[in-house]
Structures are given as C-alpha cells and as structure tokens.
Amino acid sequence: MNRFKKINDEHGHAQGDLALKAIANCLKESCIEKSDFIARYGGDEFVIVYKGNDVEDLCQRIHDSIQKLSFPFDLDVSIGCALYHKDMHKWSDWFIEADKRLYNEKKNLKGQ
C-alpha cells in the first residue's frame, strides 16, 4: 500500500487498519482461483502467488477494485511482479525479483 505511514499519521491507526483490511479484501476478490495464495508480508505489503497466466489482468483487477473503495484519503498500491522461470533455483530468487520491481514502482510514484 502506498503512503501507509502518512495514512496512519494523518488519519489514525484505526483508519490504517481499515485500509489494510480493505486492500486484503480487494486482493482476495481479484484472485480468481482457489489455488492462489495471498499473505500479508509486512506492515503494508502483501504477497500473492498467482498461478494464472495473465498477470497484467490480475494487476488491473486489483487496481480497479481498489479505486472503488471510499476512504477520506487516497488509497492505492504499487505492484511488483516476477514470473517464475527455470533459472530460478530457489523461491527467494523469485521473491527478490518481485521485491526489486515493487520498490522501482514506489520510487517512480514519488516522482509524480
């Protein structure tokens, strides 16, 4: 979730908690297959292991779902994706690639 600290600081932790729950529900609704895996990874980060083929469509569904939410502040997310390929010998290689892309997304967001 973008600007989570600002949400907590300006609107209180109760609103931040509600925002996290709303994001989690959007992720759950956006993942279609029961085999998809969603977990909260850190304060404002989530991980999805998506077994579908169209990652761009999943990202769009997530963004569309979040745009429908109503909060007294802007609520949006940055998404870092990594596709599994045979050169990845450990799950952490996959995760590190997605994490780098996430932080590039967040870095680009700060410039806007």
Side-chain angles (χ1 to χ4, degrees):
M1 183 169 25
N2 296 327
R3 296 176 290 279
F4 183 55
K5 181 178 179 345
K6 182 178 179 182
I7 291 168
N8 279 337
D9 290 349
E10 294 181 5
H11 300 277
H13 290 274
Q15 283 292 309
D17 288 348
L18 289 174
L20 282 173
K21 289 176 185 174
I23 295 289
N25 284 331
C26 289
L27 298 178
K28 185 178 176 183
E29 290 172 5
S30 298
C31 291
I32 297 170
E33 300 298 324
K34 298 236 184 266
S35 59
D36 296 336
F37 175 80
I38 305 166
R40 185 172 172 198
Y41 179 67
D44 64 345
E45 294 181 354
F46 293 85
V47 172
I48 299 173
V49 177
Y50 178 66
K51 296 181 181 179
N53 293 324
D54 195 346
V55 175
E56 288 182 26
D57 183 56
L58 171 63
C59 293
Q60 190 60 54
R61 286 195 310 265
I62 291 169
H63 284 294
D64 290 347
S65 181
I66 291 169
Q67 285 181 343
K68 295 175 185 174
L69 298 173
S70 178
F71 279 91
F73 45 80
D74 290 333
L75 190 59
D76 63 346
V77 296
S78 294
I79 300 173
C81 306
L83 299 177
Y84 177 80
H85 51 83
K86 64 182 177 181
D87 296 334
M88 294 178 170
H89 300 289
K90 300 177 285 189
W91 73 268
S92 58
D93 295 338
W94 190 18
F95 188 80
I96 288 167
E97 186 174 330
D99 205 41
K100 285 180 186 176
R101 291 182 183 183
L102 169 67
Y103 280 97
N104 283 336
E105 281 271 321
K106 286 186 174 276
K107 183 178 168 184
N108 292 336
L109 180 69
K110 288 182 180 179
Q112 296 178 4

